[in-house]
Amino acid sequence: MGQTAIDPLALDRQLCFALAATSRSVVGLYRDLLEPLGLTHPQYLVMLALWEHDPRSVRAIARELRLESATLSPLLKRLEAAGYVRRTRSTDDERQLAVSLTTAGRALRERAREVPVAVADRLGWPVQRLEALKDELTALLALVDTA
């Protein structure tokens, strides 16, 4: 009996496909959980960044989230319209736009605390396993950055 050659171009062997499909599916889980908070997944990521460090420049948020300013701007406008953030020009440099949380934006953090737990529950994996996967993906991202 001959051995079947492994096709290096088989779709199920592609890292890019596994990452893209998994990302879309996991973001879909978040979508259902974020809807009651009035947030999209990209808006949630912005809020996470601000809950860690408030205020922040648009440039700092874009860098951390790996987004272009043109992509981030509409997200910030919608978050401002929802009453969660405030955008103001820097007094030191008018080209810089600072983003800060409003009272409503800070209060939203408490409601959002259940999101990570609910994601872990829906996936059926222990938090430790999800954190280990996240660490592996972060290490992969660092490798991509240096490649």
Side-chain angles (χ1 to χ4, degrees):
M1 292 206 166
Q3 198 174 13
T4 305
I6 296 173
D7 182 0
L9 295 179
L11 183 61
D12 67 353
R13 295 188 47 83
Q14 305 306 307
L15 175 63
C16 61
F17 174 71
L19 288 170
T22 301
S23 177
R24 281 191 303 273
S25 295
V26 170
V27 168
L29 288 178
Y30 276 88
R31 188 177 303 115
D32 295 342
L33 297 167
L34 295 173
E35 191 175 330
L37 302 178
L39 295 175
T40 63
H41 186 260
Q43 290 170 339
Y44 175 65
L45 297 178
V46 171
M47 295 302 290
L48 289 171
L50 287 167
W51 289 328
E52 282 186 23
H53 302 288
D54 174 39
R56 297 183 90 160
S57 70
V58 171
R59 183 175 291 144
I61 296 169
R63 186 173 39 251
E64 183 165 7
L65 297 182
R66 297 169 175 266
L67 294 174
E68 297 295 324
S69 293
T71 302
L72 183 56
S73 254
L75 294 174
L76 293 172
K77 284 180 184 177
R78 286 192 294 275
L79 287 170
E80 189 171 40
Y84 294 137
V85 303
R86 183 179 311 105
R87 296 176 304 150
T88 55
R89 293 270 169 215
S90 168
T91 54
D92 297 335
D93 183 352
E94 285 192 13
R95 295 172 296 172
Q96 294 286 334
L97 197 57
V99 182
S100 56
L101 291 167
T102 63
T103 302
R106 282 188 291 280
L108 186 62
R109 186 178 195 281
E110 282 309 306
R111 292 180 54 209
R113 291 178 71 83
E114 298 304 314
V115 172
V117 174
V119 168
D121 286 348
R122 287 185 178 194
L123 290 172
W125 276 10
V127 172
Q128 298 83 353
R129 185 172 181 193
L130 292 171
E131 287 176 349
L133 175 60
K134 189 256 333 146
D135 291 343
E136 287 292 313
L137 291 171
T138 301
L140 178 60
L141 185 57
L143 289 172
V144 171
D145 285 345
T146 60

